[in-house]
């Protein structure tokens, strides 16, 4: 034929009675891409108008063993046939049907007839999917469910993996009608492929072996079955080729694992991985630490042996300070010798805990529960809008809704906070489904709507812009309602208090005699099954395909009465522990300050990877780094604290674990109760040899279920089985008299165990044990929660002493973490790629110093208490002990630092230096110490990932805070220990600027405080000393430039560190406060008079006093 064939036919022997072998002719047509789609004669004869397009066709019979047609190599049709054959797979043989099957999927064409191959057909009804629905041989749509929800094959496979639930009616598919599966295994979501001859051409062919057009895919069937078909068998690889379509038995009909391995025999997939630092960085770092340590030792030895006889007082002060600095440096550097990085695998977490399996047929989440604590106390300093947006970010976290609960502790009992939480719960009905529908990050509305850039980047749904606009409008209205609450409450309170019958109630509340404070459930516990929204015109946003359930939200304001010590924030946290144990009893607890919100929706899952991995039963808590927003770009006062969070904490992660430093930490509830880990390591002897110790006997989870392991414990208090020293008589003395709280302890311990899915996992629990829905919240449970947060509950118990957050220190976080490490627990530092949580920090200099003062005072309290690391047990690693020693000792460095900052000025005034002469030995030691310091700084920047400028800012603020806040902390700590004077601190203000205000305005505000006096004094004295020494040297008959350069160099070192402090005093436009000039003049006059009194001018021969003579 002269023209290229437009349609081709394929001979199909054995299918009818035509020819010697009973052959018939089957037609095919060529698509726009050059591929061929098989057609029957009936398809063509359906409509006359379409049949006219198929008048020219060529009959082609593929060569088979029983059919060898003559080949015309010059024919254009033959060339097309060769292309068709090269893209096809032929199956069949003697006495079998021979067909050619396209290996690629059929390309969509313009044909619209439903019975024609290549027709457009119906579209999949799943959102964001444009695939064709499954079809049978006649081109009819296949409806797997009675609701006739249109779905393509790929989405149908995904639905089977997600619990075999129809996305339309949310009911289970009736697999038996459409696939030859075992009805008993239909609930498992695993479907078998049909064997040869098992109804290949009927309507019950397996949907798993169909292609996109609904036709039976022989290629897929051939490679997914181990039966004989045509010539020989297909290769069946071990473990299967399409793991999603295989059964668990490894049978020929379904595939399975191929090797018949049981789940406990499969290779263990870890959830986390420890990544050591590159050797090219960490090895030189350790070498330089050793070098500098020996150089310091030789230098101090040389200094002691070579005193400055001209000024022994100056030499003595300097050598004492330098010895202390060397000791402090050693305490800081030793714990940094083994920093590590860690990574998590969220895909494995989902596979283990949220994928259908024999132990979890419906694919419900097997993850443990999580209770999130948010604490606030003063709505004036902690704006309720900030707290409300924090709550919204928690409710929208990417974690199973039925496993998440949020508790808000309002220690101020403010009606403003309560009503703001109620408004947040109302707005969550829109915000949380919107975040899930469009995968929003971050899930804090204020931060999300403040992001600069294109909001549609990465969004695939066509209704995103419309939904975002509606939610933004709702959020603006939400902020207006929140900001209007103070006036609204004031008006209602005036009318309320005017009533005579309310005056007595007000009096009772003021005296603390009214037990009205109680936890209030604002959002009830969600149902265990997903609840999807309705597609209605009255709805603001279409949530028809989004789970609209919300986590439980509880507002708690604990009872306070005169005469009781409520222990500030630590007492509020312990009240939350008891309240949550009775109401939801999540085995893990995540605590936040009210100004810290979830910036990474996957952060909770990343933390769960560590505690659910092998060895996770030994981990007490997961500490996240604290990240802040609203910090000035230069980070003038080291508010980000990157050296500590990215350096020190990462290094401690290579030891026994990071310290607990407050917000953003996920605890194991069982560890908070004061119990020991199931197994630990003891370090004994002078060389601290390791000795592994098993502390508790945990039953084998393979032979018991959740109920079996807990029934015998709940009857007698439960906690007795975990502590050999604990008896049923002592349990109330430790935990209180609540039977519900006692019963919750073994449940929390069991649910916090990792999965026992492999023999390598010790102290695990059976898979699927946490898929059972938790019981509903009833009035007796709420009444019990009210009881455990009463102010008298902790009387004569060990709450705050051994159980929960520890009392007696303003830094209760560090003490609580130390107690857990001291009992043998470990901790982990989790640094996700995207910052897990974000908060605010004070950028004002005075506020920043007061914050550091509070931390340093807590460290002094730790040093003078039984929590001193000198008294630690043998379960605390040596280098971990050194790190905790440094926590208690570092404030005392301020005494020596203050003296050392005055030594350069004293040297310049007196004309003497710390050494008698600037000889070669001193300069070589000084040069070596400086070079090693620079090398260590550069290497630390490399392995910690921080910037060199951040490292320098940290050094500057170390001197500023060391000469002010740390010094005051030592004085206050000594007063508390020796005189019993209690120290009170005010909350750090967390108010943020309005939208139109300068967010850095607070940076330039100068707030006078006594903490500013020492740095101002040091700076002024050093400046005056430099000017005085320079003038004296210039006008001296015998100038001693060496000593001036030595003293001037160290004075410049002090002033360079004080530069951010001086810049902060200048304010925004360089306006210096009057107090600076007053102090400068006073100091100058005082120093001048003191110098005249110490070294009066000598009288000359002529009776006149000597003085400077200008040339």
């Amino acid at each position: 034929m002269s023209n290229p064939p437009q349609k081709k036919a394929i001979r199909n022997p054995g299918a009818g009675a035509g020819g010697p072998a009973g052959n018939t002719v089957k037609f095919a047509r060529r698509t726009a891409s050059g591929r061929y789609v098989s057609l029957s004669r009936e398809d063509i004869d359906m409509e006359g108008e379409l049949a006219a397009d198929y008048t020219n066709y060529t009959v082609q019979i593929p060569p088979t063993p029983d059919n060898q047609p003559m080949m015309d190599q010059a024919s254009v049709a033959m060339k097309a046939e060769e292309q068709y054959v090269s893209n096809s797979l032929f199956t069949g043989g003697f006495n079998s049907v021979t067909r050619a099957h396209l290996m690629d999927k059929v390309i969509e064409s313009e044909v619209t007839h439903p019975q024609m191959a290549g027709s457009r057909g119906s579209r999949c009804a799943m959102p964001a999917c444009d695939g064709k629905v499954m079809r049978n041989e006649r081109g009819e749509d296949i409806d797997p469910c009675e609701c006739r929800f249109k779905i393509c094959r790929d989405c149908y496979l995904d639905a089977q993996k997600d619990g075999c639930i129809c996305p339309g009616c949310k009911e289970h598919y009736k697999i038996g009608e459409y696939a030859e599966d075992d009805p008993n295994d239909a609930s498992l979501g695993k479907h078998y492929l049909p064997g040869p001859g098992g109804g290949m051409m009927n309507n019950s062919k397996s949907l798993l072996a169909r292609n996109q057009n609904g036709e039976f895919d022989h290629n897929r069937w051939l490679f997914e079955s181990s039966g004989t078909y045509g010539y020989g068998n297909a290769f069946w690889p071990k473990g299967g080729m399409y793991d999603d379509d295989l059964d668990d038995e490894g049978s020929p009909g379904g595939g399975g694992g191929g090797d018949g391995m049981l789940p406990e025999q499969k290779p263990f997939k870890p959830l986390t991985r420890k990544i050591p630092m590159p050797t090219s960085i960490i090895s030189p770092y350790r070498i330089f630490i050793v070098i500098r340590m020996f150089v310091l030792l030789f230098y101090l030895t040389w200094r002691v042996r070579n005193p400055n006889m001209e000024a022994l007082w100056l030499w003595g002060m300097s050598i004492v300070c330098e010895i202390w600095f060397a000791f402090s440096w050693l305490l800081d550097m030793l714990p940094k010798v083994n920093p590590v990085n860690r990574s998590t695998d969220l895909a494995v977490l989902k596979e283990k805990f949220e994928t259908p399996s024999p132990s979890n047929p419906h694919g419900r989440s097997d993850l443990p529960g999580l209770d999130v604590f948010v604490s606030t106390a003063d709505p004036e300093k902690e704006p309720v809008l900030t707290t409300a947006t924090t709550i919204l970010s928690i409710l929208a976290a990417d974690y199973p809704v039925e496993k998440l609960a949020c508790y808000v502790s309002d220690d101020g009992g403010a009606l403003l906070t309560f009503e703001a939480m109620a408004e947040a719960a109302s707005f969550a009905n829109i915000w949380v489904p919107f975040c899930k529908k469009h995968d929003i990050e971050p899930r804090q509305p204020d931060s999300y709507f403040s992001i600069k850039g294109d909001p549609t980047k990465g969004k695939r749904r066509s209704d995103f812009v419309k939904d975002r606009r509606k939610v933004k409008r709702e959020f603006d209205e939400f902020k207006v309602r929140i900001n209007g609450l103070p006036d609204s409450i004031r008006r209602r309170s005036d009318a309320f208090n005017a009533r005579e019958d309310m005056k007595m109630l007000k009096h009772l509340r003021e005296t603390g005699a009214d037990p009205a404070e109680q936890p209030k459930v604002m959002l009830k516990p969600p149902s265990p099954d997903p609840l999807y929204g309705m597609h209605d015109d009255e709805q603001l946003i279409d949530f028809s395909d989004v789970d609209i359930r919300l986590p439980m939200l509880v507002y708690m304001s604990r009872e306070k009465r005169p005469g009781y010590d409520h222990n500030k924030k630590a007492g509020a946290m312990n009240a939350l522990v008891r309240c949550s144990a009775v109401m939801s009893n999540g085995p893990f607890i995540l605590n936040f300050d009210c100004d810290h919100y979830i910036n990474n929706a996957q952060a909770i899952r990343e933390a769960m990877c560590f505690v659910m991995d092998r060895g996770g039963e030994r981990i007490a808590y997961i500490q996240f780094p604290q990240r802040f927003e609203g910090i000035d770009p230069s980070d003038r006062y080291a508010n980000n604290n990157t050296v500590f969070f990215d350096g020190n904490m990462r290094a401690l992660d290579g030891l026994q674990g990071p310290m607990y430093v407050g917000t953003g930490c996920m605890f194991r509830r069982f560890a908070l109760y004061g119990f020991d880990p199931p197994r630990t390591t003891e370090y004994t002897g002078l060389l601290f040899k390791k000795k592994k110790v098993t502390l508790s006997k945990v039953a084998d989870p393979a032979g018991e279920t959740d109920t079996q392991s807990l029934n015998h414990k709940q009857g007698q208090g439960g906690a007795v089985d975990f502590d050999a020293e604990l008896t049923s008589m002592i349990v109330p003395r430790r935990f209180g008299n609540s039977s519900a709280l006692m019963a919750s302890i073994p449940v929390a311990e069991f649910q916090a165990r990792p999965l026992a899915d492999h023999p390598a996992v010790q102290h695990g629990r059976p898979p699927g044990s946490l898929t059972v829905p938790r019981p509903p919240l009833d009035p007796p449970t709420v009444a019990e929660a009210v009881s455990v947060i009463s102010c008298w509950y902790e009387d004569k118990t060990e709450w705050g002493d051994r159980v929960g957050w520890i009392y007696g220190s303003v830094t209760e976080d560090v003490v609580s973490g130390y107690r857990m490490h001291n009992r043998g627990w470990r901790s982990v530092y989790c640094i996700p790629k995207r910052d897990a949580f974000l908060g605010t920090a004070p950028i004002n200099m005075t506020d920043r110093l007061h914050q550091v003062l509070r931390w340093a005072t807590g460290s002094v309290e730790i040093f003078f208490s039984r929590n001193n690391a000198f008294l630690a047990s043998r379960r605390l690693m040596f280098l971990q002990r050194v790190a905790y020693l440094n926590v208690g000792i570092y404030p005392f460095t301020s005494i020596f630092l203050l003296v050392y900052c005055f030594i350069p000025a004293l040297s310049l005034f007196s004309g003497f230096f710390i050494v008698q002469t600037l000889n070669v030995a001193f300069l070589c030691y000084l040069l070596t110490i400086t070079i090693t310091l620079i090398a260590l700084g550069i290497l630390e920047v490399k392995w910690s990932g921080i910037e060199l400028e951040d490292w320098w800012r940290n050094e500057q603020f170390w001197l500023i805070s060391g000469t002010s806040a740390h010094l005051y902390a030592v004085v206050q700590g000594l007063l508390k220990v020796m005189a019993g004077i209690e120290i009170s601190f005010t909350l750090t203000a967390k108010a943020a600027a309005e939208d139109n205000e300068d967010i850095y305005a607070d940076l330039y505000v100068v707030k006078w405080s006594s903490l500013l006096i020492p740095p101002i004094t040091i700076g002024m004295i050093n400046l005056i000393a430099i000017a005085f020494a320079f003038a004296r040297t210039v006008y001296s008959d015998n100038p001693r430039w060496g000593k001036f350069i030595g003293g001037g160099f160290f004075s410049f070192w002090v002033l360079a560190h004080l530069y951010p402090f001086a810049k902060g005093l200048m304010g925004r436009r360089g306006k210096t406060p009057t107090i600076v000039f007053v102090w400068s003049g006073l100091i100058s006059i005082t120093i001048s008079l003191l110098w005249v009194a110490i070294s009066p001018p000598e009288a000359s021969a002529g009776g006149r006093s000597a003085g400077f003579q200008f040339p």
Side-chain angles (χ1 to χ4, degrees):
M1 299 178 65
S2 58
N3 296 328
Q6 297 181 1
K7 313 294 173 195
K8 292 187 181 291
I10 301 176
R11 185 179 180 182
N12 193 355
N23 297 336
T24 61
V25 176
K26 189 174 179 67
F27 302 94
R29 77 171 185 84
R30 185 179 181 180
T31 63
S33 61
R35 299 179 181 177
Y36 293 84
V37 182
S38 60
L39 299 173
S40 63
R41 183 70 188 195
E42 293 79 3
D43 295 336
I44 300 175
D45 294 336
M46 284 292 295
E47 296 183 8
E49 57 182 274
L50 293 176
D53 295 335
Y54 295 87
T55 55
N56 293 328
Y57 60 87
T58 303
V59 178
Q60 295 291 339
I61 303 177
T64 58
D66 56 349
N67 180 31
Q68 298 291 336
M70 295 180 62
M71 310 295 292
D72 184 5
Q73 299 182 359
S75 173
V76 179
M78 191 63 226
K79 294 181 181 179
E81 177 63 24
E82 289 175 358
Q83 179 184 4
Y84 176 69
V85 173
S86 65
N87 291 316
S88 304
L89 173 68
F90 288 87
T91 59
F94 295 105
N95 300 323
S96 300
V97 178
T98 299
R99 294 186 61 188
H101 312 282
L102 291 177
M103 301 183 69
D104 298 327
K105 67 178 183 178
V106 178
I107 303 298
E108 182 182 22
S109 67
E110 298 300 328
V111 182
T112 58
H113 197 280
Q115 289 184 268
M116 284 189 178
S119 62
R120 181 177 297 273
S122 303
R123 296 292 181 180
C124 178
M126 291 294 292
C129 179
D130 59 352
K132 294 182 181 179
V133 300
M134 296 178 291
R135 307 175 68 195
N136 57 19
E137 293 76 16
R138 297 183 57 83
E140 299 172 348
D141 293 348
I142 295 178
D143 299 324
C145 185
E146 294 178 352
C147 69
R148 298 186 179 277
F149 183 81
K150 303 297 183 182
I151 189 170
C152 65
R153 177 183 172 278
D154 292 335
C155 294
Y156 177 70
L157 289 175
D158 294 338
Q160 289 178 346
K161 298 173 189 176
D162 296 337
C164 205
I165 298 176
C166 173
C169 63
K170 315 305 178 187
E171 298 291 338
H172 287 278
Y173 280 121
K174 297 182 179 179
I175 304 300
E177 296 182 7
Y178 302 101
E180 295 180 352
D181 298 38
D182 186 358
N184 297 328
D185 292 338
S187 61
L188 303 180
K190 304 292 185 179
H191 309 293
Y192 299 97
L193 294 167
M200 289 271 297
M201 305 303 294
N202 57 24
N203 290 336
S204 61
K205 290 187 296 186
S206 174
L207 295 177
L208 298 179
R210 297 182 185 274
N211 59 21
Q212 189 71 15
N213 287 331
E215 293 187 351
F216 187 79
D217 192 341
H218 286 259
N219 290 342
R220 187 171 177 85
W221 182 89
L222 189 63
F223 283 92
E224 291 179 352
S225 63
S226 56
T228 301
Y229 188 77
Y231 296 110
N233 298 338
F235 175 73
W236 183 251
K238 291 184 178 180
M241 180 170 293
Y242 301 100
D243 293 338
D244 293 340
D245 298 342
L246 304 181
D247 67 338
D248 298 324
E249 302 297 330
S251 61
D259 50 6
M261 290 191 302
L262 297 174
E264 60 270 12
Q265 296 174 334
K266 294 180 180 179
F268 180 76
K269 293 183 179 180
L271 295 170
T272 62
R273 188 164 61 98
K274 182 188 292 186
I275 306 174
M277 293 294 172
T279 308
S280 59
I281 296 178
I282 196 62
S283 295
Y285 184 75
R286 294 167 179 168
I287 292 173
F288 275 112
I289 290 178
V290 175
I291 291 175
R292 194 168 197 265
M293 184 171 58
F294 281 102
V295 170
L296 287 174
L297 178 63
F298 292 144
Y299 167 73
L300 293 175
T301 304
W302 179 84
R303 290 273 284 119
V304 171
R305 292 180 178 179
N306 296 273
N308 185 0
M309 304 306 297
E310 296 179 354
L312 286 176
W313 59 275
L314 190 63
W315 170 84
M317 287 192 301
S318 64
I319 192 64
V320 170
C321 293
E322 289 171 358
I323 291 175
W324 180 265
F325 291 153
F327 171 69
S328 177
W329 174 85
L330 197 62
L331 290 180
D332 182 62
M333 295 304 296
L334 282 180
K336 294 183 179 180
V337 296
N338 189 33
V340 297
N341 287 320
R342 298 182 187 271
S343 63
T344 59
D345 195 336
L346 297 180
V348 177
L349 182 75
K350 184 175 182 62
E351 177 185 347
K352 285 189 175 184
F353 293 90
E354 295 180 325
T355 303
S357 63
S359 58
N360 185 14
H362 299 291
R364 287 181 175 174
S365 177
D366 200 18
L367 289 170
L370 177 70
D371 294 337
V372 185
F373 295 169
V374 179
S375 58
T376 182
D378 188 353
E380 295 294 330
K381 294 186 176 181
E382 297 170 334
V384 291
L385 180 61
T386 302
T387 306
T389 52
T390 298
I391 300 303
L392 290 171
S393 70
I394 296 171
L395 298 179
D398 185 8
Y399 201 73
V401 179
E402 66 275 10
K403 302 296 183 72
L404 187 63
C406 180
Y407 293 82
V408 183
S409 172
D410 180 17
D411 227 24
L415 182 60
L416 177 61
T417 305
F418 174 77
E419 295 201 7
M421 295 304 101
E423 290 285 351
S426 177
F427 180 69
N429 292 315
I430 300 174
W431 173 251
V432 174
F434 169 72
C435 292
K436 295 179 179 179
K437 179 179 180 180
H438 297 288
D439 195 18
I440 299 300
E441 288 285 3
R443 300 192 174 182
Q444 199 257 40
D446 201 14
S447 296
Y448 171 71
F449 290 118
S450 301
I451 295 177
K452 306 297 183 182
D454 184 12
T456 63
K457 185 178 181 180
K459 306 303 179 185
R460 292 177 291 182
R461 302 190 66 144
S462 60
D463 57 350
F464 168 72
V465 176
K466 180 184 64 175
D467 291 352
R468 184 180 186 275
R469 188 180 299 113
K470 292 179 180 179
V471 174
K472 177 66 167 63
R473 184 172 62 250
E474 290 293 325
F475 179 64
D476 292 339
E477 296 177 0
F478 166 76
K479 290 195 295 185
V480 171
R481 292 195 301 270
I482 291 291
N483 294 329
L485 281 178
D487 293 336
S488 175
I489 293 175
R490 189 177 300 109
R491 291 193 302 268
R492 285 184 280 122
S493 298
D494 292 341
F496 178 83
N497 295 329
R499 296 171 54 184
E500 291 294 332
D501 55 345
M502 293 300 166
K503 292 183 178 180
M504 183 59 66
L505 180 60
K506 179 181 178 181
H507 175 72
L508 292 176
R509 290 181 177 178
E510 290 176 352
T511 57
D514 178 39
E517 309 297 345
Q518 57 180 314
K520 298 177 176 61
V521 181
M522 294 188 168
L523 291 175
K524 296 181 179 180
S527 60
D529 298 320
L531 178 63
Y532 294 89
M534 300 296 293
H535 181 50
D536 192 350
D537 294 338
E538 297 180 358
Q539 297 292 330
L540 183 67
I541 300 176
D542 181 14
F543 292 140
S544 58
D545 57 345
V546 180
D547 186 1
I548 61 174
R549 293 178 300 165
L550 299 177
M552 182 172 70
L553 175 61
V554 179
Y555 170 88
M556 190 204 77
S557 180
R558 58 179 174 147
E559 181 186 15
K560 290 186 176 181
R561 293 175 184 250
Y564 288 88
D565 186 3
H566 303 103
N567 298 297
K568 303 181 176 65
K569 182 179 178 180
M573 299 302 291
N574 285 338
L576 282 175
V577 171
R578 297 190 298 271
C579 177
S580 61
V582 174
M583 299 183 73
S584 57
N585 196 30
F588 293 98
I589 295 171
L590 177 61
N591 75 294
F592 286 114
D593 290 343
C594 65
D595 61 327
H596 273 69
Y597 66 87
I598 297 180
N599 184 62
N600 182 356
Q602 299 280 338
I604 298 177
R605 291 180 177 270
E606 297 217 24
M608 285 296 173
C609 287
F610 292 103
V611 294
M612 291 290 106
D613 201 7
R614 180 171 56 187
E617 70 279 358
R618 301 174 59 191
I619 298 176
Y621 60 87
I622 310 294
Q623 178 67 59
F624 288 87
Q626 294 181 13
R627 307 299 190 196
F628 305 99
E629 59 183 2
I631 306 298
D632 57 296
S634 63
D635 195 10
R636 181 184 296 177
Y637 307 119
N639 293 94
N640 286 317
N641 225 351
T642 52
V643 173
F644 175 76
F645 286 113
D646 291 336
N648 299 59
M649 297 287 278
R650 197 191 301 261
L652 290 176
D653 197 18
L655 305 177
Q656 201 168 338
M659 303 174 187
Y660 168 42
V661 291
T663 181
C665 185
M666 191 182 80
F667 284 97
R668 182 185 300 270
R669 184 183 290 270
F670 186 71
L672 272 176
Y673 286 151
F675 292 104
D676 296 331
R679 53 192 176 91
T680 186
T681 303
E682 292 186 354
Y683 304 90
T684 58
L686 296 177
L687 299 178
F688 295 95
K689 296 181 179 180
K690 293 183 179 181
K691 178 184 177 182
K692 294 185 177 180
V693 180
T694 300
L695 302 177
S696 63
K697 304 294 183 181
V698 182
D700 182 14
E704 64 178 1
T705 63
D706 188 357
T707 306
Q708 292 172 343
S709 63
L710 298 178
N711 283 344
H712 71 283
K713 299 175 183 178
Q714 295 180 4
Q716 298 296 328
V720 179
D721 295 339
F722 305 112
D723 193 342
E725 301 177 356
L726 196 62
T727 63
S728 56
M729 300 296 295
I730 303 178
V731 168
R733 193 182 307 169
R734 176 176 295 185
F735 299 101
N737 296 320
S738 174
S739 59
L741 179 61
M742 296 300 102
S744 69
I745 294 177
V747 177
E749 187 277 333
F750 179 83
Q751 293 181 353
R753 301 181 193 176
L755 282 185
D757 56 351
H758 195 270
V761 179
Q762 303 181 24
H763 308 286
R765 59 177 172 84
S769 56
L770 300 186
T771 59
V772 180
R774 60 184 178 188
L777 203 61
D778 52 3
T781 303
V782 177
E784 186 69 18
V786 174
S787 174
V788 297
I789 65 173
S790 59
C791 57
W792 50 263
Y793 186 84
E794 294 183 357
D795 289 350
K796 299 180 181 179
T797 66
E798 296 186 11
W799 282 96
D801 181 35
R802 178 190 175 104
V803 183
W805 271 259
I806 306 302
Y807 301 154
S809 174
V810 295
T811 53
E812 70 284 339
D813 43 12
V814 178
V815 176
S816 302
Y818 165 76
R819 290 286 187 91
M820 297 179 193
H821 281 147
N822 199 35
R823 288 194 292 267
W825 290 97
R826 304 182 69 89
S827 60
V828 170
Y829 201 48
C830 181
I831 310 179
K833 293 181 179 179
R834 177 184 174 89
D835 292 339
F837 315 122
L838 286 180
T840 59
I843 61 175
N844 181 265
M845 179 173 59
T846 305
D847 293 340
R848 172 71 166 142
L849 290 176
H850 277 287
Q851 184 186 53
V852 175
L853 172 63
R854 182 170 65 251
W855 297 343
T857 303
S859 296
V860 175
E861 293 173 345
I862 291 174
F863 182 80
F864 288 107
S865 69
R866 61 190 178 113
N867 297 312
N868 193 313
F870 280 116
L871 308 176
S873 68
R874 294 181 296 179
R875 299 175 187 172
L876 194 66
M877 188 182 296
F878 170 71
L879 292 180
Q880 191 81 19
R881 187 190 302 258
V882 172
Y884 276 112
L885 279 174
N886 189 37
V887 170
I889 290 175
Y890 84 87
F892 295 95
T893 304
S894 60
I895 301 175
F896 304 93
L897 183 61
L898 182 68
V899 174
Y900 206 73
C901 286
F902 282 112
I903 286 179
L906 295 176
S907 174
L908 293 172
F909 281 127
S910 63
F912 301 107
F913 194 49
I914 56 176
V915 294
Q916 192 161 355
T917 58
L918 294 177
N919 54 19
V920 176
F922 174 77
L923 293 177
C924 288
Y925 280 125
L926 181 62
L927 180 62
T928 306
I929 292 173
T930 304
I931 291 176
T932 53
L933 176 65
I934 294 173
L936 286 173
I938 293 175
L939 291 173
E940 185 171 343
V941 165
K942 289 289 185 180
W943 63 255
S944 63
I946 63 177
E947 300 291 337
L948 188 60
E949 183 180 2
D950 295 332
W951 182 85
W952 171 237
R953 283 283 182 263
N954 182 79
E955 293 295 315
Q956 289 178 313
F957 192 74
W958 169 76
L959 188 141
I960 296 172
S961 60
T963 55
S964 56
H966 295 176
L967 182 66
Y968 279 55
V970 173
V971 175
Q972 290 183 352
L974 292 175
L975 288 176
K976 181 178 180 180
V977 172
M978 296 179 179
I981 300 176
E982 288 294 332
I983 307 166
S984 61
F985 293 96
T986 58
L987 286 174
T988 303
K990 301 178 176 63
E994 296 295 334
D995 296 339
N996 298 327
E997 294 181 4
D998 184 4
I999 60 175
Y1000 306 130
D1002 204 31
L1003 178 68
Y1004 309 105
V1005 178
V1006 180
K1007 303 176 182 178
W1008 175 251
S1009 172
S1010 59
L1011 293 175
L1012 305 180
I1013 296 177
I1016 291 177
T1017 305
I1018 292 173
M1020 290 300 171
I1021 289 180
N1022 277 275
L1023 286 174
I1024 296 172
I1026 292 175
F1028 177 82
F1030 179 76
R1032 184 182 59 189
T1033 305
V1034 168
Y1035 297 115
S1036 174
D1037 296 334
N1038 186 19
R1040 305 173 67 178
W1041 289 101
K1043 293 187 177 181
F1044 168 74
I1045 293 175
F1049 171 79
F1050 285 105
S1051 288
F1052 174 77
W1053 175 84
V1054 173
L1055 293 174
H1057 282 73
L1058 289 175
Y1059 172 73
F1061 178 83
K1063 194 174 181 180
L1065 289 178
M1066 299 302 173
R1068 182 189 294 271
R1069 300 178 181 85
K1071 182 180 179 181
T1072 306
T1074 308
I1075 189 65
V1076 175
F1077 295 104
V1078 174
W1079 275 103
S1080 301
L1082 181 60
I1083 291 173
S1084 301
I1085 296 173
T1086 304
I1087 292 175
S1088 301
L1089 295 175
L1090 182 63
W1091 181 255
V1092 171
I1094 295 176
S1095 179
E1098 298 179 358
S1100 61
R1104 294 182 180 181
S1105 60
F1108 293 117
Q1109 299 293 329
F1110 291 96

